[in-house]
């Protein structure tokens, strides 16, 4: 009887594995694909070398006046270096800048445990809540001064990245709870509450932020009793917060609608009242569902802080723009805008990456 | 044996949820009304103190300032009411053009993002991640101050084929000049449209009746292009392109696009396209692969599969967020105020408000316009959504 000897299996063809196989599959699989690859390479050839030459190779890095940039054709990063402190702190008095740094350091130290996996959740929750309540007070006292012998620094001198972060931070911490309340109101069974919330939300969502800021700067003085005056920064903060809370409400409502009725019924069967049902059963699930939406709103808020330029606040955007119109540094607006764009981009991209990470970590259901 | 009656315990008066709800609503309404009244009272006092007469009479008085760009006749003697219409048309113009450009660019990039070609997909991803994470205002400033304001003077204009010119004053394009006889071309186009409508209906009925298909799309395209072209040729080409020419210090003739408009349009379309691309990608990915396989197994070819199976389902997912992007674009066009493009916010809520001091009226009109546009488009979209929504048990 003959024995069957299976012949040894051949290795896969060299053209389907390794780097060569990858290239064939992803870049040269069909004539159309080849054409696309060539087109993409041509576009890259057009864009990348000049960009690299401008930003790095021909750029000027050292020196302290515009004359230093004359010789090279590329970017003049000296402009950024000379103005860097102003871009970060605005017109905050130089001798007092340690206060801003201290506040930032405190924030980093305080928030670091929140991001560490080893710290127990319960401690994180308490720390987070504490930070939310106490940190703004500390930061406000440090920035503004007037207590403990700190010199008063008027809010009109706050500027640059500091101001952008202040507006974004306050806006985010205030817009989320407000948005949750509005969303609950919109889903409420009380007709009056529902109407009020729907009107509020649709009104703010229907108009551009710029008109809201306009309104807060020209109409607020008319609305308030004579002599009572609001800080310009506070007006911007109120405008940005109310505006984004309407968007936040719609995001949260999406999450609330996705929670099955059984959850409400189970909570009622356990004897929980409205607020306990919401706080312990519904909101934790609903908010988890809409993390991407919440972070998108945060990102939109962060980008929208640049609009405070309209009412004359010197945030990062405005201070960079202001520096480009400085007669001593005319002609370097591209460098200025590229710098500002990079800063905004880092924050926004960082937030979106973190939210994707968070989504993955909080996904407690079955993964497919 | 004692009989137990099972009546639920009556909650005490203040614990009754219904009574609580009513009390809560009364308090909320009273607080809102009181707050509104407080604002109204303050405003009345302040207006009296500042000597501002409220009302809309100012709309008929003469404005006395010029506007960079207007689609309807306007001069410095025109009324403030006229300024409103000029500004509104400018807003609508830049929004409409922006929506068209952003949609085209967004769909191309969204599809490129799903390309099997690794390089193309990564390029699209880079585009999306770059532009949607930079504030729109910064992009507008970049195009306006760093690019268009840095263009050469009219004498050293950049030009494409001596017909299109770009300089610090703006972009100059050849303008089409209609000659007498062009009406025939338009009439031919109208005729073609009617014929196409009849043809499509007939082809559909024939397919339902006999199962035989008719190449309706290619015949319609031929009609739509052929008839007007034929009329154009027969009437002796009644269309002349007026090319801009340099006279003295500036270009005369042609179609001039002011730099404010060009940079606003560029930034709006590039920014919004990044968001539309993500929406398109998500919509296409939302149609499960099983649909494609089922369609192939029924014998439909790839183009029919795309047209009849994938697109209708993807559009159902794409349309609602796409609409909200359109709304965002319209609202974002108000950033024009920052570079001085005379839109509703810049010209009306800005210049008119500053000249007349009628803050409440100007802001209220401006907000009402945006609110109306938003609600109108939302209504339309809700109607559309109801029509295409999945019908379930």
């Amino acid at each position: 009887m003959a024995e069957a000897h299976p012949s040894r299996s051949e290795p896969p063809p060299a053209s389907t594995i390794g780097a060569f196989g990858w290239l064939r599959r992803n870049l040269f699989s069909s004539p159309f694909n080849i054409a696309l690859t060539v087109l993409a390479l041509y576009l890259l050839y057009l864009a990348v070398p000049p960009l690299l030459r401008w930003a790095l190779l021909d750029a000027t890095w050292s020196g302290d006046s515009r004359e230093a940039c004359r010789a090279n054709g590329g970017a003049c990063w000296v402009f950024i270096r000379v103005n860097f402190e102003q871009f970060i702190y605005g017109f905050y008095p130089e001798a007092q800048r340690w206060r801003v740094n201290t506040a930032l350091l405190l924030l980093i130290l305080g928030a670091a445990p929140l991001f560490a996996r080893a710290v127990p959740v319960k401690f994180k929750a308490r720390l987070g809540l504490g930070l939310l309540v106490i940190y703004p007070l500390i930061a406000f006292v440090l920035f503004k001064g007037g207590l403990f012998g700190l010199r008063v620094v008027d809010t009109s001198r706050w500027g640059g990245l500091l101001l952008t972060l202040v507006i974004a931070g306050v806006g985010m911490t205030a817009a989320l709870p407000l948005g949750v309340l509005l969303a609950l109101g919109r889903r409420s069974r009380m007709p009056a509450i529902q109407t009020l919330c729907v009107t509020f939300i649709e009104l703010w969502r229907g108009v551009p932020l710029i008109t809201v800021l306009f309104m807060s700067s020209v109409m607020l003085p008319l609305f308030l009793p004579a002599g009572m005056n609001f800080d310009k920064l506070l007006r911007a903060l109120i405008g940005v917060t109310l505006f984004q809370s309407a968007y936040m409400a719609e995001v949260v409502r999406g999450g609330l609608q996705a929670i099955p009725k059984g959850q409400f019924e189970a909570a009622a069967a356990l004897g929980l009242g409205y607020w306990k049902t919401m706080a312990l059963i519904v909101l934790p699930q609903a908010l988890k569902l809409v993390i991407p939406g919440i972070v998108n709103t945060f990102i939109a808020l962060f980008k929208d802080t640049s609009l405070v330029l309209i009412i004359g606040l010197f945030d990062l955007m405005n201070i960079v723009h202001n520096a480009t119109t400085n007669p001593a540094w005319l002609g370097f607006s591209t460098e200025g805008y590229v710098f500002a764009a990079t800063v905004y981009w880092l924050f926004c991209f960082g937030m979106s990456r973190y939210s994707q990470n968070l989504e993955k970590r909080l996904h407690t259901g079955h993964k497919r | 044996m004692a009989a137990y009656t099972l009546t639920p315990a009556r909650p005490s008066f203040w614990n009754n949820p219904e009574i609580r709800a009513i009390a809560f609503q009364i308090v909320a309404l009273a607080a809102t009304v009181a707050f509104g009244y407080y604002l109204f009272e303050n405003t009345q006092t302040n207006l009296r103190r500042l000597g501002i007469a409220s009302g809309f009479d100012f709309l008929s008085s003469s404005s006395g300032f010029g506007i960079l760009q207007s689609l309807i006749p306007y001069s410095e003697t025109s009324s403030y009411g006229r300024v409103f219409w000029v500004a509104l048309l400018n807003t609508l113009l830049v929004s409409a053009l922006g929506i068209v450009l952003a949609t085209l660019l967004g769909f191309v990039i969204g599809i490129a993002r799903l390309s099997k070609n690794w390089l193309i997909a990564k390029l699209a991803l880079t585009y999306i991640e770059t532009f949607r994470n930079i504030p729109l205002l910064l992009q507008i400033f970049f195009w306006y101050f760093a690019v268009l304001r840095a263009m050469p003077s009219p004498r050293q204009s950049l030009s494409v084929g001596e017909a299109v010119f770009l300089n610090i004053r703006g972009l100059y394009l050849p303008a089409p000049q209609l000659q007498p006889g062009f009406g025939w071309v338009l009439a031919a186009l109208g005729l073609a449209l009617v014929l196409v409508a009849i043809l499509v209906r007939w082809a559909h009925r024939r397919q339902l009746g006999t199962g035989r298909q008719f190449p309706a799309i290619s015949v319609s395209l031929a009609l739509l292009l052929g008839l007007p072209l034929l009329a154009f040729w027969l009437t002796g080409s009644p269309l002349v392109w007026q090319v801009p020419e340099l006279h003295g210090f500036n270009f005369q003739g042609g179609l001039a696009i002011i730099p404010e408009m060009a940079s606003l349009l560029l930034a709006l379309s590039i920014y919004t396209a990044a968001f539309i691309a993500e929406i398109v990608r998500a919509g296409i990915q939302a149609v499960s692969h099983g649909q494609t396989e089922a369609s192939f197994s029924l014998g439909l070819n790839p183009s029919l599969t795309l047209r009849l199976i994938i697109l209708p389902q993807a559009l159902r997912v794409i349309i609602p967020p796409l609409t909200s992007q359109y709304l965002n674009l319209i609202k974002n066009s108000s950033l024009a105020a920052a570079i001085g493009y005379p839109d509703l916010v810049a010209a009306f809520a800005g210049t008119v408000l500053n000249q007349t001091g009628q803050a409440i009226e100007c802001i209220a009109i401006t907000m009402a316009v945006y609110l109306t546009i938003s609600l109108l488009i939302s209504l339309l979209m809700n109607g559309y959504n109801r029509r295409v929504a999945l019908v379930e048990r």
Side-chain angles (χ1 to χ4, degrees):
Chain A
M1 218 166 95
E3 247 178 277
H5 285 291
S7 54
R8 202 189 315 190
S9 51
E10 295 275 327
S15 61
T16 60
I17 52 167
F20 191 69
W22 184 90
L23 278 179
R24 237 183 100 141
R25 260 197 320 282
N26 290 302
L27 295 180
F28 303 104
S29 60
S30 65
F32 179 64
N33 223 342
I34 294 174
L36 279 182
T37 307
V38 171
L39 178 76
L41 284 177
Y42 180 65
L43 283 179
L44 283 176
Y45 166 76
L46 281 187
V48 174
L51 203 67
L52 279 183
R53 222 172 298 134
W54 178 80
L56 299 173
L57 300 180
D58 291 353
T60 315
W61 302 86
S62 57
D64 41 32
S65 72
R66 60 177 301 159
E67 271 62 43
C69 297
R70 279 280 162 72
N72 307 328
C76 180
W77 299 123
V78 179
F79 169 64
I80 305 295
R81 229 199 47 212
V82 169
N83 290 300
F84 189 74
E85 299 248 305
Q86 203 190 35
F87 290 168
I88 302 298
Y89 301 102
F91 307 114
Y92 212 86
E94 223 159 301
Q96 307 291 328
R97 284 179 187 165
W98 63 269
R99 284 153 55 174
V100 179
N101 298 339
T102 315
L104 183 69
L105 195 70
L106 274 178
L107 181 65
I108 292 173
L109 284 181
L114 294 179
F115 296 91
R117 301 240 171 133
V119 181
V121 175
K122 208 155 204 187
F123 179 72
K124 273 190 195 175
R126 276 193 206 147
L127 181 69
L129 209 65
L131 264 185
L132 222 54
V133 177
I134 301 169
Y135 181 75
L137 292 176
I138 300 177
F140 180 73
V141 169
L142 271 174
F143 290 161
K144 178 88 194 230
L147 282 176
F148 312 116
L150 290 173
R151 240 186 68 201
V152 175
V153 179
D154 195 63
T155 52
S156 60
R157 302 189 62 113
W158 303 9
L161 186 61
L162 161 69
L163 187 69
T164 296
L165 290 180
V166 165
I167 298 173
V170 172
M172 286 175 197
T173 35
L176 183 58
L178 209 55
V180 170
L181 281 182
L182 282 169
L184 289 177
R186 192 170 184 163
R187 299 269 293 158
S188 154
R189 254 176 266 140
M190 300 181 228
I193 304 289
Q194 207 193 0
T195 318
L196 283 179
C197 289
V198 171
T199 316
F200 182 91
I201 293 171
E202 294 304 329
L203 202 70
W204 289 115
R205 271 167 30 103
V207 298
L209 176 57
I210 201 170
T211 57
V212 175
L213 291 174
F214 252 64
M215 188 176 89
S216 75
S217 72
V218 297
M219 270 163 87
L220 219 56
L222 289 177
F223 283 158
L224 297 172
M228 186 170 160
N229 211 352
F230 258 106
D231 190 73
K232 213 195 247 175
L233 175 60
L234 190 58
R235 284 190 221 163
L237 283 177
I238 294 176
V240 170
T241 306
L242 291 183
F243 184 78
Q244 292 294 349
S245 68
Y247 283 83
M248 192 62 86
E250 285 300 277
V251 170
V252 175
R253 181 169 73 115
L256 289 178
Q257 281 177 345
I259 303 300
K261 215 174 160 204
Q263 297 287 330
F264 293 87
E265 288 165 356
L270 286 174
L272 298 181
Y274 177 80
W275 291 109
K276 277 196 174 156
T277 308
M278 289 304 163
L280 299 175
I281 310 287
V282 178
L283 279 177
Q285 300 183 63
L287 291 181
K288 193 174 83 181
L289 278 179
V290 292
I291 288 175
I294 293 177
V295 177
N296 273 345
T297 316
F298 280 169
I299 293 176
L301 189 148
F302 192 84
K303 287 186 290 180
D304 277 349
T305 56
S306 60
L307 297 199
V308 297
L309 161 151
I310 301 292
I311 57 173
L313 286 175
F314 284 92
D315 72 321
L316 177 64
M317 167 87 213
N318 202 5
I319 210 133
V320 170
H321 176 63
N322 200 40
T324 61
T325 55
N326 179 353
W329 287 100
L330 279 183
F332 299 113
S333 45
T334 310
E335 284 85 344
Y337 294 136
V338 166
F339 169 75
T342 314
V343 175
Y344 280 110
W345 188 86
L346 283 176
F347 276 97
C348 295
F349 190 69
M351 275 193 269
S352 79
R353 274 295 127 114
Y354 180 65
S355 97
Q356 286 169 10
N357 184 7
L358 202 62
E359 232 179 293
K360 245 182 244 155
R361 221 161 1 122
L362 288 181
H363 188 94
T364 46
H366 297 287
K367 287 199 180 96
R368 249 177 278 173
Chain B
M1 231 166 79
Y4 293 102
T5 48
L6 287 170
T7 48
R10 282 179 70 84
S12 65
F13 184 75
W14 281 115
N15 272 340
N16 188 338
E18 279 162 34
I19 292 175
R20 273 195 177 191
I22 291 172
F24 194 53
Q25 293 184 64
I26 291 175
V27 170
L29 273 183
T32 315
V33 170
F35 185 65
Y37 182 73
Y38 171 73
L39 293 186
F40 180 75
E41 267 299 302
N42 280 335
T43 314
Q44 289 292 321
T45 331
N46 282 326
L47 286 181
R48 230 173 296 133
R49 188 170 49 86
L50 296 169
I52 300 174
S54 54
F56 293 94
D57 296 338
F58 72 98
L59 284 178
S60 52
S61 48
S62 164
S63 68
F65 64 90
I67 296 185
L68 268 178
Q69 171 191 310
S70 81
L71 297 178
I72 49 177
Y74 173 86
S75 70
E76 290 178 15
T77 52
S78 302
S79 67
Y80 286 122
R82 190 79 176 172
V83 176
F84 169 76
W85 289 112
V86 170
L88 178 61
L89 283 176
N90 281 342
T91 290
L92 292 180
L93 173 73
V94 80
S95 306
L97 290 176
I99 284 176
V100 172
L101 288 178
T103 310
L104 290 177
L105 195 59
F107 270 75
V108 168
I109 291 176
I111 292 168
R113 176 90 172 72
L114 289 174
S115 167
K116 287 205 186 77
N117 188 312
W118 183 85
L119 209 53
I120 291 281
K122 286 293 175 252
L123 273 182
L125 179 70
T126 312
Y127 174 95
I128 293 170
E129 290 296 359
T130 308
F131 287 107
R132 70 172 183 173
N133 283 326
I134 297 175
L136 176 60
L137 188 62
L138 188 56
Q139 297 192 29
I140 293 176
F141 270 39
F142 175 78
W143 291 116
Y144 186 62
F145 289 109
V147 178
L148 291 177
R149 291 267 106 176
M151 283 293 148
S153 68
R155 280 176 184 282
Q156 280 97 40
S157 304
L158 307 175
S159 79
V160 181
E162 292 301 311
V164 177
F165 297 92
L166 183 66
N167 58 49
I168 194 166
R169 303 266 178 88
L171 179 65
Y172 293 83
L173 304 169
Q177 296 274 312
L178 306 186
Q179 307 295 318
F182 196 77
W184 288 107
V185 180
L186 289 182
L189 186 66
L191 182 69
L193 279 175
V194 173
L195 284 180
V196 164
I198 296 173
L199 180 77
V200 166
R201 196 169 277 191
W202 171 79
H204 185 65
R205 211 172 291 153
R206 192 176 86 137
Q207 194 188 350
L208 284 184
T210 65
R212 276 183 299 159
Q213 289 187 348
F214 184 80
I217 293 183
S218 35
V219 174
S220 305
L221 273 181
L223 271 176
L224 277 179
L225 282 177
L227 276 182
L229 275 181
L230 189 69
F232 189 74
W233 180 68
L234 281 180
T235 49
S237 315
L239 183 74
V240 180
W241 291 95
Q242 190 195 25
V243 178
E245 273 171 49
L246 190 64
H247 283 291
F249 292 108
N250 210 348
F251 279 90
Q252 304 281 319
L255 190 70
I257 298 175
I258 55 174
E260 287 82 8
M261 161 121 173
S263 43
L264 185 64
L265 194 57
L266 256 175
L268 273 178
S269 13
I270 288 177
Y271 180 75
T272 315
F275 289 89
I276 292 180
E278 277 298 90
I279 291 170
V280 170
R281 177 190 64 83
I284 293 176
Q285 279 183 339
V287 182
S288 80
H289 193 58
Q291 298 284 332
T292 318
E293 288 168 348
S295 160
F296 285 161
S297 70
L298 283 174
L300 296 181
N301 62 23
S303 77
L304 278 180
T305 305
L306 186 69
R307 196 155 61 84
L308 299 175
I309 308 292
I310 298 180
L311 269 189
Q313 299 188 66
L315 280 184
R316 185 185 291 148
V317 182
I318 290 174
I319 297 279
L322 189 63
T323 326
S324 79
Q325 280 311 319
Y326 288 167
L327 281 177
N328 276 348
L329 188 143
I330 295 173
K331 283 183 277 175
N332 281 337
S333 74
S334 62
L335 292 183
I339 53 168
Y341 172 76
D343 84 322
L344 197 57
V345 171
F348 193 69
T351 317
V352 172
L353 188 154
N354 284 336
Q355 283 203 1
T356 60
Q358 306 281 353
I360 296 179
E361 290 84 352
C362 286
I363 296 276
I365 291 176
T366 311
M367 283 187 151
V369 168
Y370 283 105
L371 209 55
T372 316
I373 296 175
S374 292
L375 293 180
L376 263 183
I377 294 187
S378 300
L379 272 182
L380 283 179
M381 280 339 291
N382 285 345
Y384 172 84
N385 221 4
R386 225 172 292 129
R387 217 157 57 87
V388 301
L390 221 53
V391 181
E392 282 184 296
R393 276 167 293 140

